[in-house]
Each structure stands twice: as C-alpha cells, then as structure tokens.
Amino acid sequence: MTNPLTLAPAPRSGAAERVRGEVRDFLAEELAAGTFSTHVDTWLSGVDPEFSRKLGARGWLGMTWPKEYGGHERTAMERYAVTEELLAAGAPVAAHWIADRQSGPNLLRYGTEAQRREILPRIARGECYFVIGMSEPDSGSDLASIRTKATRNEAGDWVVNGAKVWTSNAHASHYGIVLVRTAPVDTANRHAGMSQLLIDLSLPGITINPIRILDGGHHFNEVVFEDVVIPRDMLLGTEGDGWHQVTAELAFERSGPERFLSTYPLVAEFGRRVVDSGDPAALAVLGRLSARLLALRQMSLRIAAALDRGELPNIPAALVKDVGTTFEADVIDEIRRVVDVLPSLDSPDPLARALAEAQLHAPGYTLRGGTNEILRGIVARGLGLR
C-alpha cells in the first residue's frame, strides 16, 4: 500500500536560485532605504499595501498563474524561493499573503471565468487582499459544526447570517472566501450542505470587530454578517461542495514555509550572536534548530512540488503544519534558556526585541490553520490508524 506521507523530492531549479538572488538584492535595498524593518511573524502582522504593490510590479505575486489572469507562469519552486526569502527577512507581506497563497489558487480551481478575470489580475498586482472565512466563535477547529447560513431570497441571491472569527486582516482586505451552510445539517453526513461564497467585505450588514493580541497588535478580527445580500454569481464552485473545496484549500494554507519561518528572524539574530561565541550550550541549540529547520524545509519543498504537479497532499500538509508550528514555539524556549537577554519590544537589542515579539505571538502558532490535535487526527486517519 502506498504511504500517503511519501512524496517525490522537489526538483532542483536554477531559475529558483536566480530569482532568489533578485529577491535578496531587492530586500537589501529596501532595508537600506528604511522602507521596512525586520520583525517576527510578519506574514500575519505586517500589512503594507505599498510593499505588496512593489512585489506585484516585479512579478512576484501570482507567479504560477496563467498569464491571461495576470500571472507569470513560473514554477512552484520559483515561487517558493520568493516566499522563503521574504519570510526570512521578516518583510511586511501580510496584506497580500492569503490572496496569493490560497485565495487565488482557489479561484483558479473553482471560480467562474468572470470571477477569475475580475479578481486575479488585481491580486497579482498586489492591489486586492483576501481573508479566510472558516472558523466561527463556537466552532474552533471543528469546521463541520459551522452555523453561518446562506439562504436564497426571492431574487435568487444569497442572504448570509452568522459570524466568523480569527479572520486576519479583515479590516484591511477586500474579499473573503466564506464557508457557509446552504442546506440544513444532515446528521448522517455533517460535511454535506456546505458551500463557499466570495464575499465583498464592504457590503452593507458586515461588521468587523478587532481582536487584539498580547502585544496590543491588531490582525485578528471577528466578522459578523447580518442579512448580507450576496449576488448569486458570487458562489464559488459548486453548491453543496464546500467541504471538499475547503479541504483542498487547506493544503495550500498548511504547507508553506510560513509554518516554520514565522520565528526565523529570531533564529537568524541568535545565530549571528552566538556563532563565534564558543559557548557550547548556545552552539548546541543553534545546531539543533538548524537541523530541524532543514528537515522541515525539505518536507515543505516536496509539498510545493506536489501541488505544482496538480496533486492535493492534504495529509503531508497537515503534518508539516503540526511539526512546523511546534518548531516555532520550541525556538523560543530553546533560545531563551541559553541567552542572558531580557525580552522587550522597546529594547535597542535586536535579539531582545525579536524574542519579545516571538513570545507574544506564540499562542497563535499552533492554533491558526488548525490545532495540532486536529492535524494529528487528520494524519492518523490518513494512515489508517483511526
């Protein structure tokens, strides 16, 4: 029997290394010009529309998409190199991140021709941003228990009522792909009767309530829908097929390098600090973290290559997200034990600032994108263990 966790190695790519060099040069210039500063977890907390537009102008968004929709028809390995360098630099990429990572591919797979032509070129230019409308206040990681409903009105349009939560950067985004119930719950099949709607977040009846994190920052939100009328042509994919579509989308969400590079700026600063220190304890930590990071990178690269081949490696993606976000939390504990540094957001010491940022963002690492417990259940089921 084929092991669902076994994936072919990612191919080596000279084109990917060339674009990696271009991105590094660009980032060095931007840092030198002071247009951004390095921070931890910027793929969720670093909203900078101007920076996103710069990336779009260089052809670094929508990289793998067809040219007819504003894309550039480059390989997944080239895109991986770009995203990896942006994350490693702690660049402010949150504005476009969700749209480029999963909303665009979702539209390519399930969207109508009109939806694709209207929205995809704007995403590729860095001008259109998306949120994920999955989790709800009373649902957590159990997506099958969602209660947000969409019913038809007399004109045939959808009327949406309910709420979504942890919707990162909804206050700065244009659209959400929202999972709703379009049919009553079937106790024999809880996954039936769900659909995805493409919702313009500026529509009447939508309220976006901020949820502050520990450092006072705002990227999480609650989005409330009260009799929101959605045009009938904004159904994404097939009515009733929302569960299948959402699980396919999660492969993009869970497997990328952001699932283990959120705290990389902290690792990099720690490495610069201790590499020549001669401190055996600190060097041992650096070695352990480096080894785990390299292993995670290989796993993630293989999933990127599988997605490029048109596969949907849901089980390996769940595993990478579980192991990767566990690593992100371990980075903090490993480093703080061997450095004599007081974490502080106001410190002039970049290591102290990075450690403080990582600690304050840490509660979300193993929650967003599915809790580790849910992910391990997905892997166990895929392996036939439950």
Side-chain angles (χ1 to χ4, degrees):
M1 183 175 65
T2 302
N3 187 334
L5 294 179
T6 300
L7 294 174
R12 292 187 177 275
S13 171
E17 294 312 304
R18 285 191 293 275
V19 75
R20 184 186 301 279
E22 294 169 8
V23 176
R24 286 183 177 178
D25 290 344
F26 164 76
L27 291 169
E29 291 170 5
E30 293 293 308
L31 283 166
T35 62
F36 79 92
S37 55
T38 298
H39 292 281
V40 166
D41 208 25
T42 51
W43 68 273
L44 276 183
S45 60
V47 174
D48 185 341
E50 182 180 353
F51 190 85
S52 293
R53 287 191 291 269
K54 287 180 181 179
L55 298 180
R58 284 164 174 78
W60 293 339
L61 301 180
M63 290 183 69
T64 63
W65 305 349
K67 291 181 179 179
E68 64 178 309
Y69 301 123
H72 305 282
E73 297 182 5
R74 302 179 78 166
T75 67
M77 294 300 98
E78 290 172 276
R79 181 183 181 275
Y80 194 98
V82 171
T83 58
E84 191 173 45
E85 291 300 323
L86 292 169
L87 291 165
V93 294
H96 68 266
W97 195 264
I98 303 300
D100 182 60
R101 179 185 70 184
Q102 68 194 84
S103 306
N106 220 21
L107 282 164
L108 279 171
R109 183 179 291 269
Y110 300 113
T112 65
E113 190 65 13
Q115 291 168 353
R116 293 171 186 160
R117 293 197 178 278
E118 167 64 22
I119 296 173
L120 290 175
R122 293 164 56 199
I123 295 176
R125 292 195 300 267
E127 298 172 354
C128 183
Y129 316 135
F130 270 70
V131 300
I132 302 166
M134 296 186 193
S135 295
E136 298 191 359
D138 298 319
S139 290
S141 293
D142 181 14
L143 283 181
S145 68
I146 65 164
R147 294 187 295 185
T148 297
K149 294 191 300 184
T151 56
R152 298 272 194 180
N153 63 14
E154 292 180 357
D157 294 326
W158 298 99
V159 180
V160 176
N161 284 280
K164 296 293 178 177
V165 76
W166 314 124
T167 39
S168 292
N169 300 314
H171 59 295
S173 297
H174 305 96
Y175 289 96
I177 295 178
V178 181
L179 184 66
V180 296
R181 283 212 165 272
T182 49
V185 177
D186 180 352
T187 56
N189 182 4
R190 297 171 67 229
H191 299 155
M194 298 186 196
S195 305
Q196 286 185 305
L197 294 177
L198 185 57
I199 297 182
D200 180 343
L201 295 176
S202 68
L203 287 172
I206 296 177
T207 303
I208 299 173
N209 301 313
I211 299 173
R212 300 280 175 180
I213 60 173
L214 288 175
D215 66 358
H218 171 208
H219 65 80
F220 284 138
N221 297 278
E222 177 191 48
V223 181
V224 180
F225 303 91
E226 296 179 281
D227 294 326
V228 181
V229 178
I230 311 298
R232 72 186 79 180
D233 60 0
M234 297 306 270
L235 175 71
L236 182 65
T238 303
E239 182 178 348
D241 209 20
W243 183 262
H244 169 74
Q245 293 176 196
V246 125
T247 53
E249 180 181 348
L250 286 170
F252 291 94
E253 180 177 348
R254 288 171 171 164
S255 62
E258 69 272 23
R259 294 306 181 183
F260 55 89
L261 290 180
S262 296
T263 52
Y264 182 80
L266 171 59
V267 176
E269 189 59 42
F270 171 69
R272 286 189 286 269
R273 184 71 57 91
V274 306
V275 67
D276 296 320
S277 68
D279 181 338
L283 291 172
V285 167
L286 182 60
R288 284 197 297 273
L289 295 178
S290 299
R292 291 175 67 184
L293 185 60
L294 288 170
L296 281 162
R297 181 173 184 268
Q298 287 302 311
M299 294 167 66
S300 181
L301 276 167
R302 289 185 178 211
I303 293 174
L307 290 168
D308 201 32
R309 294 191 297 267
E311 301 172 19
L312 287 176
N314 296 334
I315 298 169
L319 181 62
V320 166
K321 198 275 180 185
D322 174 16
V323 179
T325 54
T326 298
F327 167 77
E328 290 181 323
D330 289 348
V331 162
I332 302 166
D333 289 337
E334 290 261 30
I335 290 176
R336 68 180 179 80
R337 289 193 179 103
V338 293
V339 295
D340 186 17
V341 169
L342 180 64
S344 171
L345 295 175
D346 301 320
S347 174
D349 180 357
L351 182 60
R353 290 198 306 273
L355 188 55
E357 289 176 353
Q359 287 180 323
L360 291 169
H361 284 243
Y365 297 154
T366 57
L367 295 175
R368 58 200 189 199
T371 66
N372 284 16
E373 292 77 11
I374 292 292
L375 295 170
R376 290 166 190 169
I378 292 170
V379 174
R381 189 177 298 111
L383 294 175
L385 300 177
R386 55 175 293 188

